[in-house]
Amino acid sequence: QVHLVESGGGSVQPGGSLTLSCSASASIFSIGAAGWFRQRPGKERELVAAISSGSSTEYADSVKGRFIISRDNSENMMYLSMYELKPEDTAVYYCVADSSPFLGNHPRHWGSGTQVTVSS
């Protein structure tokens, strides 16, 4: 079982920035795809950003141009750099990973989530 642990969440004002980190207990990030989901209050979980085993990336339309996903396979780490944050980005953010080359809607491994609150 792969354990994923998120960190870096917190409160920030609109227009601010945060970087989320995800640490994996095994070399899952060098094997397959990974990404970040979020669940906003009263909404379904949604895919925010994904990175394939070949390092191609994809983003939800709502975050394109503002969020950047990256990973460091040598450190078993993945990151989500978030810029120009908006109140609608407020959510619990989940780190996910899978051994498949591309991330689907049901990744096998999930972290427990970290809260991001954007408010003035």
Side-chain angles (χ1 to χ4, degrees):
Q1 180 69 21
V2 175
H3 294 285
L4 303 174
V5 179
E6 304 94 339
S7 60
S11 295
V12 64
Q13 292 188 338
S17 303
L18 276 178
T19 294
L20 305 182
S21 300
C22 178
S23 174
S25 62
S27 302
I28 188 69
F29 296 143
S30 61
I31 295 172
W36 295 87
F37 277 70
R38 71 182 179 187
Q39 187 162 22
R40 294 182 282 180
K43 304 285 188 181
E44 301 270 327
R45 280 185 189 178
E46 59 180 344
L47 178 65
V48 175
I51 184 166
S52 72
S53 60
S55 296
S56 61
T57 58
E58 64 174 294
Y59 298 92
D61 288 343
S62 59
V63 307
K64 277 181 184 174
R66 300 189 299 119
F67 289 13
I68 300 173
I69 187 171
S70 61
R71 67 183 178 202
D72 184 340
N73 292 343
S74 65
E75 298 290 335
N76 296 336
M77 295 291 295
M78 184 177 62
Y79 306 95
L80 185 67
S81 299
M82 306 183 293
Y83 305 96
E84 299 176 21
L85 283 161
K86 304 175 180 180
E88 51 264 42
D89 294 318
T90 294
V92 177
Y93 285 74
Y94 298 89
C95 170
V96 300
D98 200 285
S99 56
S100 299
F102 293 95
L103 201 66
N105 288 326
H106 303 285
R108 181 173 182 180
H109 308 289
W110 288 74
S112 58
T114 186
Q115 176 71 46
V116 171
T117 301
V118 185
S119 173
S120 55

